Amino acid sequence: MFRTSLVISKVVGTVLVGGLAAYLYLRFKDTKKYKPYKRKKEIFLIDNLEDYESFINTVRIEKVLGLDCEWVSFSGKRRPVALLQLATQLGQCALIRLDRMDSFPKSLQDILANKSILKVGVAVKEDGKKLHLDYGLVVNGCVDLRHVLNRVRGIYTCRSKGLQGQAESILGVMLDKSNRIRCGDWEADDFSQEQIEYAANDALVGVDIFMNLILAKMWGKKPDINIEDIFTVVDETEFWTFTRSLVQGTVDVNVGGPWNSKNPAYKGPQLTNDEEISVKDKETRAYVLRQRPLYYNCYLLAPDGESLCTCDIKKAEWYIEKGLADKVNDDPFTVQLKFEPAGRPASKDDYYLQEKENICVVCGSKDSFVRKQVVPKEYRRYFPPSLKDHASHDILLLCMSCHVRSTQYDTTLRYQLADECNAPIDMGSGTKQLSDQDLQKVRSAARALLNPKAKIPELRKTELKKTLEDFYGITDFSPEILTQAAEIEYRVDNKNYEPHGKLVVRYMDKNGGLHTFEKRWRTNFISTMKPQFLPKYWSIHHRHEQHKQLEVIE
Ligand SMILES: *[C@@H]1O[C@H](CO)[C@@H](O)[C@H](O)[C@H]1NC(C)=O
């Protein structure tokens, strides 16, 4: 009996080692065969409405978006989606930190719900369901890349139909998955550069694969062009018409067959039963409230047992997960750090040691909350690190109606500051990209002339030609020039662009200092909102005394 099992385990062992060697060989071969995924891209990291506005004012969302989501799992339990990635076929990618957003702009809800804007990715429908479950966001127009691949038979053979497998055989590139663990904390205060790259790539590669598959089907062969230049060789309208017909019947359909999430053999992203909800609730709201509590009142202890601060449960869990702390109590949830923290509280009455209640600090309502940044993020982001460190003091919970009211008061102060600091809040000349009117005119003239269906009156035609002739300084232009003009890049970077927030912070730093500026926002909040339920040690002078002392010593 003993002998037999020993032999068996030997055999199993040999098979395992052999299998591992074969696997490593194949992986190594892959590594040599595929280039890392690199692409021209523009990333917008978004965690507040202002960031979103600047994204949506820069980027034109047209027919297709690569969509992907990231979330944190703790003890095998999935936490709400933390990050939503949306990528355009032009390489612009929004990383929207849903867990940080106070509310979701109507335009984001519209884009997600709009069936005419396809959302592409692997298991994208499942991502859509999670977004609905966690935040009430409705996602329509989902097209699973595995469906599209099935319809483009005979051109590609994929090792697997996952995103990685498709990226390899369709684009000939490798996604860097080695950072999966290091990049796993999608609720971290700040993302690392590689985390940002990684998140953006997952959405960008989805849309690249999609464009490539459609083109392959259109041409009946692997397209030998750089997919970024697709519309220099393919007519845009024709392409999208073809796309629509190719994806017909797959939109908003779960992938069946062996990839069905109900199939026990399925190993991909899974939903538990309570997540299998129908997306019937089409009610669109301008704001989606968060219902889960924001302050969890966990305690963080130093290695010697001294109380350091109260903190959010996700931060406490993160310390444990990374092996940086041990849990020492369940209720209240308390963790003890294994390393000496950078700072210790100045006194026992420190603000950071106070329990924070889950109520609206203005009216005491206990329903739903949004985070209020007392000093708006558009300014705080330009503060020096020493001031940024203690930002949590200036994040308060408000109920929806108080939040809306206080945002209106903030707007008044913003405009005052704009005046005072000569820092205009404008969406025109202040934006990051300017459209060059002359170039735009040339482009649309060429497009009109190239359009075979346009019935342009002769007189107008002469005008259009004159526009082009003047621009190029020629009298007779070839079809090549016409095509070139039709594709001309008319958006130029505005080198002088400086956002309102940055200008204000720079001005305030020189005129009165940032402590005074911080105090001004806090005072603004107190005097306009008259909050009745502020946490006990909340103060408009918070941290200023301590900083002053430090400055004297230095
Ligand atoms: C949906 O998107 C399409 C394509 O971008 C756009 O033309 C249309 O106006 C949008 N519909 C709604 C209801 O927003």
Side-chain angles (χ1 to χ4, degrees):
M1 183 66 195
F2 176 67
R3 266 189 81 88
T4 330
S5 70
L6 192 68
V7 170
I8 288 171
S9 76
K10 245 187 183 166
V11 171
V12 171
T14 313
V15 170
L16 279 180
V17 169
L20 186 66
Y23 172 78
L24 286 177
Y25 168 72
L26 286 174
R27 290 305 305 171
F28 182 63
K29 226 178 80 197
D30 283 355
T31 319
K32 279 173 68 170
K33 202 155 106 199
Y34 304 114
K35 310 184 292 272
Y37 178 64
K38 287 227 165 66
R39 183 204 207 292
K40 204 172 78 188
K41 61 189 166 225
E42 191 181 353
I43 299 174
F44 298 78
L45 188 60
I46 296 166
D47 64 5
N48 61 67
L49 291 179
E50 281 105 340
D51 291 350
Y52 179 82
E53 288 300 321
S54 88
F55 161 71
I56 210 71
N57 289 329
T58 316
V59 172
R60 232 168 77 212
I61 308 253
E62 290 172 274
K63 308 276 197 245
V64 65
L65 286 171
L67 185 149
D68 192 32
C69 290
E70 308 290 346
W71 58 87
V72 174
S73 286
F74 188 71
S75 312
K77 218 167 139 337
R78 179 178 76 76
R79 294 181 44 79
V81 170
L83 185 70
L84 166 65
Q85 301 108 283
L86 297 173
T88 70
Q89 89 264 5
L90 296 174
Q92 294 147 323
C93 186
L95 306 181
I96 307 175
R97 303 196 60 177
L98 299 178
D99 64 330
R100 304 288 165 126
M101 298 287 283
D102 293 331
S103 60
F104 303 124
K106 177 90 167 59
S107 87
L108 176 63
Q109 295 178 51
D110 289 347
I111 289 165
L112 293 175
N114 190 333
K115 248 185 167 4
S116 309
I117 304 169
L118 299 177
K119 323 296 183 310
V120 302
V122 167
V124 66
K125 185 78 194 149
E126 267 91 351
D127 285 342
K129 280 187 192 165
K130 289 192 181 72
L131 291 169
H132 185 254
L133 189 76
D134 297 347
Y135 299 101
L137 292 166
V138 175
V139 186
N140 288 316
C142 297
V143 175
D144 200 300
L145 289 170
R146 295 169 295 188
H147 274 313
V148 186
L149 183 64
N150 283 348
R151 295 197 171 178
V152 186
R153 272 175 217 282
I155 300 176
Y156 295 108
T157 43
C158 293
R159 166 176 76 77
S160 88
K161 297 199 176 184
L163 201 64
Q164 173 76 59
Q166 292 202 32
E168 285 170 7
S169 35
I170 295 163
L171 305 176
V173 299
M174 273 211 334
L175 291 172
D176 185 5
K177 290 283 175 190
S178 62
N179 287 325
R180 189 164 266 300
I181 293 175
R182 207 156 9 128
C183 290
D185 187 11
W186 298 107
E187 296 181 7
D189 285 338
D190 291 301
F191 287 167
S192 65
Q193 194 54 43
E194 51 190 5
Q195 210 172 355
I196 290 172
E197 283 273 321
Y198 172 96
N201 281 351
D202 268 11
L204 285 163
V205 82
V207 75
D208 278 354
I209 289 171
F210 180 78
M211 300 297 282
N212 219 302
L213 282 172
I214 303 287
L215 198 54
K217 183 71 181 181
M218 221 170 155
W219 289 354
K221 63 178 176 91
K222 288 184 196 182
D224 47 2
I225 61 155
N226 188 346
I227 208 68
E228 292 168 32
D229 306 326
I230 183 165
F231 292 128
T232 58
V233 283
V234 184
D235 180 80
E236 214 169 322
T237 317
E238 201 181 310
F239 180 86
W240 293 121
T241 311
F242 186 85
T243 303
R244 271 284 151 190
S245 64
L246 184 66
V247 301
Q248 221 169 55
T250 70
V251 181
D252 295 327
V253 173
N254 281 319
V255 170
W259 311 288
N260 191 316
S261 60
K262 291 210 175 78
N263 183 326
Y266 173 77
K267 288 285 184 290
Q270 294 200 22
L271 290 175
T272 58
N273 279 339
D274 61 339
E275 284 179 311
E276 295 277 356
I277 41 109
S278 66
V279 185
K280 265 189 300 204
D281 171 20
K282 291 269 162 64
E283 179 198 2
T284 45
R285 289 169 287 181
Y287 290 90
V288 178
L289 293 181
R290 68 165 62 229
Q291 256 115 21
R292 70 192 163 100
L294 286 178
Y295 297 145
Y296 287 92
N297 297 317
C298 299
Y299 289 89
L300 215 54
L301 307 182
D304 61 6
E306 189 194 355
S307 291
L308 291 170
C309 56
T310 55
C311 75
D312 193 283
I313 194 159
K314 72 186 185 204
K315 192 148 200 172
E317 285 172 340
W318 185 84
Y319 280 124
I320 298 175
E321 200 175 1
K322 303 283 162 183
L324 300 172
D326 293 319
K327 185 174 80 175
V328 292
N329 197 4
D330 265 323
D331 191 21
F333 197 86
T334 309
V335 302
Q336 186 160 18
L337 295 177
K338 293 181 183 170
F339 62 94
E340 180 59 32
R344 294 224 179 195
S347 86
K348 284 266 172 291
D349 293 340
D350 197 282
Y351 174 77
Y352 295 96
L353 294 181
Q354 297 310 307
E355 289 194 17
K356 295 174 209 167
E357 268 189 285
N358 278 301
I359 59 171
C360 169
V361 301
V362 175
C363 70
S365 146
K366 295 193 173 185
D367 298 338
S368 320
F369 315 100
V370 280
R371 274 176 213 256
K372 165 74 188 173
Q373 309 252 3
V374 176
V375 183
K377 184 77 188 291
E378 72 173 314
Y379 306 112
R380 190 174 282 285
R381 63 194 300 174
Y382 298 108
F383 281 14
S386 62
L387 278 174
K388 265 193 199 156
D389 276 356
H390 299 288
S392 76
H393 172 266
D394 289 315
I395 296 175
L396 297 171
L397 293 191
L398 265 62
C399 71
M400 195 62 222
S401 63
C402 290
H403 192 272
V404 169
R405 215 151 47 82
S406 92
T407 306
Q408 286 161 358
Y409 290 126
D410 286 358
T411 305
T412 313
L413 181 51
R414 277 178 84 217
Y415 277 96
Q416 271 173 26
L417 288 167
D419 248 11
E420 238 171 87
C421 311
N422 193 21
I425 305 174
D426 71 328
M427 284 301 174
S429 60
T431 46
K432 236 185 242 175
Q433 284 198 320
L434 294 176
S435 42
D436 186 313
Q437 309 260 315
D438 288 339
L439 292 181
Q440 202 168 359
K441 247 166 89 183
V442 168
R443 178 174 152 123
S444 63
R447 293 200 159 201
L449 290 170
L450 280 173
N451 185 350
K453 285 191 217 117
K455 294 198 184 67
I456 310 172
E458 277 311 311
L459 194 63
R460 177 75 186 133
K461 219 178 237 176
T462 318
E463 275 173 25
L464 293 173
K465 283 184 178 157
K466 177 113 182 26
T467 306
L468 289 170
E469 286 165 3
D470 288 352
F471 181 76
Y472 286 104
I474 46 176
T475 48
D476 198 14
F477 45 83
S478 58
E480 284 77 38
I481 289 200
L482 209 54
T483 323
Q484 192 191 330
E487 295 303 328
I488 211 162
E489 188 55 69
Y490 64 90
R491 307 231 281 188
V492 291
D493 282 341
N494 179 3
K495 297 272 185 311
N496 298 322
Y497 173 74
E498 292 213 85
H500 162 80
K502 190 172 179 182
L503 291 171
V504 168
V505 170
R506 189 190 301 147
Y507 180 92
M508 286 301 170
D509 195 23
K510 294 199 185 103
N511 299 276
L514 294 179
H515 285 161
T516 310
F517 182 62
E518 215 174 24
K519 212 179 290 175
R520 183 160 167 192
W521 276 103
R522 290 172 183 163
T523 311
N524 174 64
F525 178 72
I526 301 285
S527 61
T528 55
M529 297 303 292
K530 307 190 170 49
Q532 302 299 304
F533 300 88
L534 274 179
K536 194 163 160 205
Y537 289 95
W538 200 87
S539 150
I540 58 166
H541 303 293
H542 181 71
R543 292 281 164 183
H544 293 168
E545 290 313 310
Q546 209 174 322
H547 278 131
K548 212 176 271 157
Q549 283 166 15
L550 279 179
E551 277 157 19
V552 173
I553 292 164
E554 283 162 8

